[in-house]
Structure formats: structure tokens, C-alpha cells
Amino acid sequence: MADKKMEMCEVETSLMTSESKPAPARTPNKFEKIYQPCLGELVGTAFFVFIGCVSVIENEESMGRLQPALVHGFAVAVLVTCMAEISGSHFNPTFTLAIYLCGGMELNMVAPYLACQLVGGMLGAAMAKVMTFNDNFAKVHGAAFAVLQSDDQVGRALFGEVAMTCLITMVLLLGALNTKTRNPMVPFLVGCTVIMNILAGGDISGTCMNPARAFGPAVVSNYWTYHWVYWVGPIAGGLIAAVLIRLLLGDEKIRLILK
């Protein structure tokens, strides 16, 4: 009888165990692996640039840098949180390059991401133009970065873009990719870094830190004065951050990959 009871218990336990096993994970299809992430980058970048541009175009003079700083920072935090499981929430060519260099994405997705971000930037800037008053749009060149007006400003602005983009890219890489420092609050941390950087450096360079954010308004308003600064500075800053993470601050396994 004891043996029979033991057998019955084993059968029941086996049945319960089999029923409680989680269903095997479904392999993502081609749409989910390739097209959906690209669409996420396009849509996310479009709304980030749209909201950011509107905050600049319709900014009250009495608010100074506070309104654009808060709007850009909150937009990043919200969009990154919502889109993280779809595309990784880059919305920035600099982030995409740095994430790839740190092993966070495959090479075949880099070019599609960059293209979608630039198209999203143009779409967002066009949406801002449709929504805002023409006089306000023209006054700030559609929220293209018009802070630089002479050559003697370029050096400080370029250094500011490099340093500030390096900082925000390090926050992203350490908070999202690095195993030892990974943090679920990374959307909030990146958003706070955006706010801090704009408040600190808005009058020096405009604090772009994102070529897609600069490119979209430049195309829509046809304003290209010192536009190259907002490509060279952010990309250089992102590359410096990637090197720091890969060689010095990141996980041991990351450093071993380079050897």
C-alpha cells in the first residue's frame, strides 16, 4: 500500500509539474525581428523630434531654456520606456553606433536604424511646422540649431556637443547594456541627463546630442548654418563613450572581446 501511495504521489507530482511548465518561447518572425524595430525607431524619433521642435518654436521667452529642457527630457523618458521592447529605443544615430560598438545590436540592423531615425527626424520636424504658427516657426528656423552665428563660437560649441553627448551615451550604455551597472530606471536617467545638459549648455551650442534632431528641422526649414557641428560633435562624443565602456568601464567580457 505504501508503494502504491508513493507511485500515485509521483504521478500527481509529475502531472502538476508538466502543467506548470511555461510554454516554450515563440521564435520572433521576420516582421518582429526586422521591420517592427525599424518602424519603432521611425515613429519614436518622429514624435521625439516633433515634441522637441514644438517646445522650442512655441517657447515663451520668459521660460528660457527650462521649457525645451523639460520637454525633451520627459519625451525621452516616456518614449524610451514605451518602445524599449520593440526597438531598444535608440532614436539617435549616435546611440545606435555606440550600442553596436558595445555589442548591443547586429551589424545588419545599423544602416536601417540610421535611415529610419533620419526619416523620422524629418517627419517630426514637418509635423511641428504644420502645428505651429508660421511667424514663430520662421523666427527660430523651425527649431534648427541657430545658436552659432560666428566662427569664434564654434570651438566651444563643438567641445560642448562632444562632452555632453559623451555623458548621455555613457549613461545609456552603463544603464542599459553593462551587466554590472544595468538599471531598470535607465529611461528616467537618460531623460534627466537630457534636462541637465540642456540647462547647462543650451546657450553654448543649443545642446543637440542627436544628429537626427538637428537634421530634420534643418531639412524642413532649409537652415544649414554650422550644421556640421551637430554631426561631428555628437558622433565624436558617442564614439568616445563607447571606447570608455569597451576598454575601461564596462564588463570584463567586453574588454576581452577586443583582445
Side-chain angles (χ1 to χ4, degrees):
M1 288 294 292
D3 292 340
K4 288 183 179 180
K5 287 182 178 180
M6 287 293 294
E7 290 176 2
M8 289 296 293
C9 289
E10 288 175 1
V11 171
E12 290 176 1
T13 303
S14 175
L15 289 172
M16 291 174 61
T17 304
S18 63
E19 289 176 357
S20 62
K21 284 183 180 178
R26 182 176 61 84
T27 302
N29 56 40
K30 187 175 181 180
F31 175 79
E32 293 171 329
K33 290 177 63 177
I34 299 175
Y35 298 113
Q36 193 177 59
C38 290
L39 287 172
E41 285 298 301
L42 190 152
V43 172
T45 306
F47 276 102
F48 169 69
V49 174
F50 164 64
I51 294 296
C53 287
V54 170
S55 74
V56 174
I57 295 168
E58 299 297 335
N59 185 30
E60 296 288 340
E61 292 184 5
S62 60
M63 292 291 290
R65 297 191 299 272
L66 183 60
Q67 179 174 314
L70 292 175
V71 170
H72 282 85
F74 289 149
V76 166
V78 170
L79 290 169
V80 168
T81 301
C82 293
M83 295 283 196
E85 298 302 321
I86 297 175
S87 70
S89 301
H90 298 189
F91 313 142
N92 186 336
T94 298
F95 288 172
T96 296
L97 294 175
I99 289 170
Y100 166 70
L101 291 175
C102 288
M105 67 182 301
E106 298 178 0
L107 177 60
N108 67 319
M109 294 299 291
V110 173
Y113 265 43
L114 298 179
C116 288
Q117 289 157 2
L118 295 179
V119 172
M122 291 186 288
L123 180 60
M127 291 165 62
K129 183 175 183 179
V130 171
M131 178 176 169
T132 55
F133 293 102
N134 291 336
D135 291 344
N136 293 343
F137 183 90
K139 184 170 63 176
V140 295
H141 304 286
F145 291 88
V147 175
L148 301 182
Q149 296 296 326
S150 62
D151 290 343
D152 62 351
Q153 297 175 279
V154 172
R156 292 189 296 272
L158 184 60
F159 177 79
E161 288 296 317
V162 172
M164 290 185 292
T165 308
C166 181
L167 172 60
I168 193 173
T169 308
M170 282 199 306
V171 171
L172 172 70
L173 295 176
L174 290 172
L177 290 184
N178 196 56
T179 304
K180 291 186 294 186
T181 56
R182 193 173 294 160
N183 194 311
M185 293 184 64
V186 67
F188 172 76
L189 299 176
V190 173
C192 285
T193 309
V194 170
I195 294 172
M196 291 188 306
N197 281 346
I198 294 177
L199 291 176
D203 286 346
I204 304 298
S205 69
T207 315
C208 175
M209 306 178 291
N210 184 343
R213 169 64 180 81
F215 182 71
V219 171
V220 173
S221 64
N222 195 29
Y223 184 84
W224 301 97
T225 304
Y226 296 109
H227 180 75
W228 64 270
V229 170
Y230 303 105
W231 284 81
V232 175
I235 291 175
L239 294 178
I240 292 171
V243 170
L244 288 173
I245 300 301
R246 292 298 299 259
L247 295 181
L248 299 175
L249 301 177
D251 297 327
E252 184 66 26
K253 64 180 180 181
I254 293 179
R255 292 195 291 271
L256 290 174
I257 291 174
L258 295 181
K259 293 183 180 180

